Amino acid sequence: DADLLWDARNSLCMLLPEVRREGILGVLKRVDTSFATRQSGDFRAVNRDGFYVDLIRPEDESIFSSRTSDRLGDRDDDLQGSPIHGLHWVINAPRFEQIAIGEDGYPLRLISPDPRAFALHKLWISRLADRDPVKRLRDEQQAMSVSLIARKHLNLDFAADDLQSLPAELRRLTTKLVQPKSKSKKPAASKPPEPNW
C-alpha cells in the first residue's frame, strides 16, 4: 500500500491544475484505470490487483477547528483525507528532498517527510493498544523496512540532532529500529540480561 500525506498548511494553488481538476483518483486512473474508491468520500483507492493508495492527514488540533476541505482536488468523488493520530509530528519533522530522473529523461523534485520520522511514527502507531492487529503488523513491517532504507541506502543517522524536534516518546523507539531483533529468547550465557528500565 502507499500513503499520500496531505500537509494542509500548503496552499492548494501549489497543486498541478490537473490534480485540482481530476483529483487524486483521476491521476491514479491515468496510471491504472481500475483504481476506484470503495464508497463515496473514501480515503482509499484500490486497483484490481489489490494495491491501495490512502490519502492521510494529521488530526485537527482542536475539535472546534474546522477544515475548509478534506479533498485535494475540486471533484466531490475524490479521495477524502483520513486523519491519523500523531501525524503532525511527521509533518513537522525535517523534509527529505531528492531529484529523480523519469523514464522520459526529465528531472522530478521529490519532497517527502524524513524517512526516519516516518519509521518512528509507524512503529509508535503499531504499538497503540487500540490498533487493529492486521494494521499493527503492517505498520511495524513498514517501520522496519523504511528504517533499513534510511540507514543502509540513504546514510541517515537516527541519533542525529535534526530528530530532536520529535517527541521523546518517538525517539525512544529508535533502539527498536536500529538493532535487529534477537532470534533466541534466552540471553547468551556469557552475557547477563540487561535491566528492563
Side-chain angles (χ1 to χ4, degrees), residues 55-119:
L55 180 62
I56 59 174
R57 65 172 179 81
E59 289 180 322
D60 293 326
E61 291 181 19
S62 164
I63 59 170
F64 301 109
S65 65
S66 61
R67 301 179 65 81
T68 54
S69 174
D70 281 335
R71 292 182 178 86
L72 285 170
D74 296 331
R75 296 180 54 108
D76 290 336
D77 63 345
D78 197 21
L79 296 179
Q80 187 169 329
S82 174
I84 303 292
H85 184 57
L87 206 52
H88 59 281
W89 295 326
V90 177
I91 282 186
N92 290 320
R95 291 189 314 178
F96 183 78
E97 297 185 35
Q98 191 71 9
I99 300 294
I101 305 298
E103 289 181 356
D104 58 5
Y106 285 99
L108 172 68
R109 184 170 163 232
L110 298 173
I111 303 172
S112 73
D114 188 303
R116 298 166 299 173
F118 176 86

Side-chain angles (χ1 to χ4, degrees), residues 38-178:
R38 300 168 297 181
Q39 60 192 16
S40 178
D42 199 3
F43 66 93
R44 175 174 290 166
V46 184
N47 74 359
R48 68 178 154 256
D49 299 321
F51 185 85
Y52 55 89
V53 175
D54 294 346
L55 180 62
I56 59 174
R57 65 172 179 81
E59 289 180 322
D60 293 326
E61 291 181 19
S62 164
I63 59 170
F64 301 109
S65 65
S66 61
R67 301 179 65 81
T68 54
S69 174
D70 281 335
R71 292 182 178 86
L72 285 170
D74 296 331
R75 296 180 54 108
D76 290 336
D77 63 345
D78 197 21
L79 296 179
Q80 187 169 329
S82 174
I84 303 292
H85 184 57
L87 206 52
H88 59 281
W89 295 326
V90 177
I91 282 186
N92 290 320
R95 291 189 314 178
F96 183 78
E97 297 185 35
Q98 191 71 9
I99 300 294
I101 305 298
E103 289 181 356
D104 58 5
Y106 285 99
L108 172 68
R109 184 170 163 232
L110 298 173
I111 303 172
S112 73
D114 188 303
R116 298 166 299 173
F118 176 86
L120 288 167
H121 179 260
K122 277 289 189 178
L123 188 60
W124 177 78
I125 286 281
S126 76
R127 291 163 184 249
L128 295 177
D130 60 346
R131 188 67 169 158
D132 177 296
V134 173
K135 292 180 180 178
R136 178 180 292 144
L137 177 61
R138 187 176 63 230
D139 291 334
E140 183 176 353
Q141 290 171 341
Q142 288 176 342
M144 297 302 176
S145 298
V146 171
S147 167
L148 183 66
I149 292 168
R151 289 182 293 114
K152 301 291 183 185
H153 299 288
L154 301 175
N155 297 316
L156 297 173
D157 183 4
F158 275 81
D161 289 340
D162 53 357
L163 291 182
Q164 293 303 311
S165 63
L166 295 175
E169 187 176 353
L170 260 66
R171 291 194 321 267
R172 278 193 291 271
L173 294 173
T174 297
T175 57
K176 306 292 184 195
L177 291 176
V178 297

